[in-house]
Amino acid sequence: MIIQLQRDARSEQVEKLMGYLSQKRFTTKAVNTQKGSYLMAIGKGEFDIRAVGFMDGVADIHVVSDDYKLVSAKWKVDPTEIDLGDGVVIKQGQLALMAGPCSIEGEEQINQTIQHLKEAGITIMRGGVYKPRSSPYSFRGMGIDGLRLWFRMAKENGIKIISEVMQVSQIEEMYDYVDIFQVGARNTQNFNLLDELGKVDKPVMIKRGISGTIDELLYSAEYVFSGGNEKLLLCERGIRTYEKASRNTFDINAIPILKAKSHLPVISDPSHGIGIRDHVPAIALASVLAGADGIIYEAHQDPRKAFSDGQQTLNFNQSIKLAENLREVMKMRSEML
Ligand code: PEP
Ligand code: MN
């Protein structure tokens, strides 16, 4: 159960409410986010819902029986919007595009990517400075110095940054330089990391775990929300199956299902989803029709020379074309629905 508290609810009112609920054998957890205050009540006891609804300090009450509650569409009708400032907003009905290399490699690459994004009309740049690599001998990223350099160049050009945070200690050092923290597929169930991201006032995009279910992705988002941060995005990036013909099996089904189950924006990552450069545009375009609110894909000035994931990275010509086609398909979708 989610009890939405009034903005000006006083602590004695909240304590009275908690006392009442604990008498009814509910455990309670207070959640304070950037946008509101909630009291989560977990239990199976019986009580008069109207009596709680009329208690002082209560704005609204919602019975949500799923284990993920705050991220559920069952109580919040309006879809969540993520405002990155300077007019960059990720929201339903618009298609957010995020593109850039798998890994940040250096000044020249950052510069070329930024010029490309400006030409393509894309305002959010992706790139990893901390890279989760299967082999410890692969390039593992430029680290915080790379992020600082990238930030300086991006800011000069009005470009927003999304970058992966791999561990708790990186949150603070990255905080000033990212617009969105990305939680990678290998960290979707790093609950300590999720708890800590709940404490920051910055958007977080959580990718689906490598073998994660849709519900597990929603539980992960619930961790961050219940920790106090409701600026959240969900990302489908493919899952591991028995299929070997593609890097992952992109689960197109997840897009409409997540959209129906949650009020959070849903982003598609076709690059990791299929892992084959020439097929990335098809999966990206299909994701738009499936209802995605944004697409994140890998692009590089010379994918063959990319430090990581070159095989699934678009060159700039392919990227320009894709951005154009995505907008066309988005227009089509808006007219169809
Ligand atoms: C990435 O975005 O480059 C990445 C490592 O993605 P994922 O966590 O989905 O594998
Ligand atoms: Mn990658």
Side-chain angles (χ1 to χ4, degrees), residues 101-103 126 131 207 247 271-272 298 308-309 312-313:
C102 180
S103 300
R126 62 143 290 144
K131 296 303 304 177
K207 288 195 165 194
R247 179 178 181 182
S271 306
H272 296 84
E298 290 178 336
S308 56
D309 284 352
Q312 66 192 29
T313 299

Side-chain angles (χ1 to χ4, degrees), residues 38-313:
Y38 313 85
L39 193 61
M40 306 303 296
I42 313 295
K44 292 195 168 47
E46 302 253 321
F47 69 97
D48 181 356
I49 193 162
R50 278 173 316 171
V52 172
F54 285 126
M55 284 174 84
D56 291 337
V58 174
D60 209 346
I61 177 163
H62 314 269
V63 178
V64 182
S65 50
D66 304 322
D67 279 341
Y68 47 85
K69 299 180 188 301
L70 290 161
V71 302
S72 169
K74 285 195 182 144
W75 74 278
K76 187 169 180 275
V77 193
D78 296 335
T80 290
E81 295 184 5
I82 305 294
D83 189 347
L84 303 181
D86 304 315
V88 183
V89 184
I90 302 171
K91 63 174 184 181
Q92 185 165 298
Q94 286 180 10
L95 188 69
L97 299 185
M98 316 181 199
C102 180
S103 300
I104 294 299
E105 298 169 3
E107 189 164 351
E108 183 51 32
Q109 176 224 32
I110 298 170
N111 186 38
Q112 290 195 43
T113 308
I114 288 175
Q115 295 320 316
H116 162 65
L117 295 183
K118 285 169 84 170
E119 197 188 326
I122 297 175
T123 45
I124 308 171
M125 179 167 161
R126 62 143 290 144
V129 294
Y130 293 113
K131 296 303 304 177
R133 302 306 301 274
S134 300
S135 162
Y137 307 116
S138 304
F139 177 64
R140 295 173 69 179
M142 284 183 75
I144 194 68
D145 293 337
L147 182 59
R148 284 207 192 95
L149 170 72
W150 176 19
F151 171 77
R152 188 170 48 71
M153 297 168 74
K155 194 154 180 63
E156 277 168 15
N157 288 281
I159 298 282
K160 303 291 177 188
I161 287 179
I162 176 168
S163 196
E164 177 166 354
V165 57
M166 285 182 59
Q167 60 179 19
V168 171
S169 62
Q170 290 161 358
I171 297 175
E172 202 179 328
E173 62 176 20
M174 292 175 75
Y175 184 85
D176 288 334
Y177 308 116
V178 295
D179 297 286
I180 305 174
F181 282 110
Q182 174 175 315
V183 175
R186 290 154 194 81
N187 262 321
T188 309
Q189 291 193 312
N190 180 341
F191 300 118
N192 296 111
L193 181 64
L194 299 175
D195 277 340
E196 291 303 310
L197 288 167
K199 296 178 188 160
V200 304
D201 185 14
K202 194 134 284 191
V204 176
M205 184 179 85
I206 308 181
K207 288 195 165 194
R208 182 169 175 184
I210 289 185
S211 303
T213 64
I214 290 172
D215 276 1
E216 282 167 342
L217 174 58
L218 291 165
Y219 291 134
S220 296
E222 187 81 15
Y223 263 86
V224 181
F225 199 138
S226 65
N229 184 2
E230 58 181 281
K231 298 181 178 173
L232 279 164
L233 305 131
L234 305 170
C235 179
E236 165 59 34
R237 50 76 76 199
I239 44 174
R240 177 165 293 171
T241 68
Y242 53 79
E243 185 53 69
K244 295 279 176 286
S246 52
R247 179 178 181 182
N248 289 301
T249 297
F250 185 80
D251 182 8
I252 193 100
N253 299 349
I255 297 173
I257 291 173
L258 285 168
K259 290 289 298 169
K261 284 184 174 237
S262 175
H263 53 79
L264 299 174
V266 175
I267 309 298
S268 155
D269 175 349
S271 306
H272 296 84
I274 190 160
I276 304 165
R277 181 185 309 125
D278 287 349
H279 302 324
V280 166
I283 303 304
L285 293 163
S287 299
V288 179
L289 289 180
D293 301 305
I295 310 288
I296 184 165
Y297 65 88
E298 290 178 336
H300 189 282
Q301 72 276 14
D302 187 354
R304 288 164 312 167
K305 295 202 179 125
F307 288 8
S308 56
D309 284 352
Q311 82 291 344
Q312 66 192 29
T313 299

